[in-house]
Amino acid sequence: MNWTLEVVLVPVTDLDRAKDFYGTACGFTVDLDTEVAPGIRIVQLTPPGSRCSIALQSGMPPAPGEEVMAPGSLHGLQLCVTDIEAARERLTARGVEVSPVRHVGPAGWTEGKGETWNSFMFFKDPDGNGWTVQEAPSELSER
């Protein structure tokens, strides 16, 4: 039996603002925008080429035994691209504030590309949820 990660909840304060950020600025595909019950809306978006989506929710009660994540409290989500400079250019052209490309060196984080798997950039959504973008040597299907 496969256990596939397919949806990650991203806590936000304003669904329409977040939908615009991820859909327009980041270029994610809007898969779903629906009210599943009165006052409960779900927006699901998928990064280009990804098999995992993000879900933005409003009015959804927490699952039994779970706590609600505060908007902006999610950090460490990581996307992989095969050309980090092109990805950075695309995001900045769409108005996303993105860090310079960095790598981990002997003194910690250093500007510029590193060796294979060691080139990163970082950005946050309007609520402060943090994303990492890492350069991969090839598409996932080729690894």
Side-chain angles (χ1 to χ4, degrees):
M1 169 177 41
N2 292 330
W3 291 47
T4 60
L5 180 62
E6 296 189 14
V7 181
V8 174
L9 177 62
V10 177
V12 298
T13 55
D14 183 322
L15 285 182
D16 291 316
R17 179 181 71 175
K19 177 184 173 184
D20 184 57
F21 175 79
Y22 287 110
T24 303
C26 294
F28 291 16
T29 300
V30 178
D31 303 315
L32 175 73
D33 184 349
T34 189
E35 188 173 70
V36 296
I40 300 175
R41 181 176 166 206
I42 298 174
V43 178
Q44 185 169 312
L45 304 101
T46 304
S50 180
R51 292 190 60 199
C52 185
S53 302
I54 62 169
L56 315 172
Q57 302 173 346
S58 177
M60 179 76 81
E66 294 295 318
E67 296 180 23
V68 175
M69 284 189 292
S73 66
L74 188 60
H75 298 279
L77 293 173
Q78 189 161 317
L79 300 167
C80 288
V81 297
T82 56
D83 185 337
I84 200 156
E85 286 101 350
R88 186 176 189 286
E89 186 176 303
R90 182 175 296 170
L91 288 173
T92 58
R94 292 178 172 191
V96 178
E97 287 187 34
V98 185
S99 74
V101 174
R102 297 183 170 128
H103 68 279
V104 180
W109 288 104
T110 304
E111 280 199 34
K113 284 185 69 167
E115 298 297 322
T116 304
W117 291 107
N118 192 13
S119 296
F120 302 86
M121 63 182 177
F122 308 91
F123 69 92
K124 294 183 181 211
D125 74 8
D127 284 292
N129 294 301
W131 289 81
T132 299
V133 180
Q134 179 182 29
E135 186 174 75
S138 62
E139 294 290 345
L140 181 60
S141 62
E142 299 170 13
R143 288 185 242 143

